[in-house]
Amino acid sequence: QGQLVESGGGLVQPGGSLRLSCVASGIIFSSYAMGWYRQAPGKQRELVARITSGGGTYHSVSVKGRFTISRDNAKNTVYLQMNSLKPEDTAVYYCHAILISDYWGQGTQVTVSS
């Protein structure tokens, strides 16, 4: 059974940076497309960024140019580098893996506030 564990969230001031990590186990990581989603209070979960098994990336309009998704297949890990953070980036960030089946992490809180 696949398992995803996120880390790296926290409290940061506007304009700051954080790097989220998601370590996968129980799956053939290199075969999976990986994504980062976020959910703010009272809002629907939304896709932030996705990376295919071949390394192709997609970033949502709201984060393009500020966030970067990457993966290290040797470490079974996907990253989300977040720069120039804004208060509206405050949310719980979730890691997602999809191939035939899909898996979700438990989420990590990111709070952007002065």
Side-chain angles (χ1 to χ4, degrees):
Q1 189 74 0
Q3 185 176 12
L4 305 176
V5 179
E6 303 103 331
S7 62
L11 173 64
V12 63
Q13 292 187 340
S17 298
L18 284 174
R19 188 175 80 156
L20 305 183
S21 299
C22 170
V23 179
S25 60
I27 62 173
I28 302 174
F29 178 79
S30 60
S31 296
Y32 279 71
M34 301 298 298
W36 287 98
Y37 288 72
R38 68 185 180 187
Q39 188 166 20
K43 295 188 176 181
Q44 289 189 330
R45 191 172 297 190
E46 63 173 354
L47 175 65
V48 175
R50 177 182 289 136
I51 185 166
T52 68
S53 58
T57 61
Y58 163 84
H59 297 83
S60 70
V61 170
S62 61
V63 306
K64 198 165 188 178
R66 300 188 298 123
F67 293 9
T68 303
I69 190 170
S70 62
R71 67 190 297 159
D72 185 339
N73 290 339
K75 296 183 179 180
N76 285 3
T77 302
V78 61
Y79 303 99
L80 185 68
Q81 178 66 45
M82 307 187 294
N83 299 328
S84 303
L85 282 159
K86 304 175 181 180
E88 52 262 43
D89 295 317
T90 295
V92 178
Y93 284 69
Y94 297 91
C95 181
H96 181 244
I98 186 165
L99 184 56
I100 296 173
S101 51
D102 73 317
Y103 303 95
W104 290 93
Q106 82 288 350
T108 186
Q109 176 71 46
V110 172
T111 302
V112 185
S113 174
S114 55

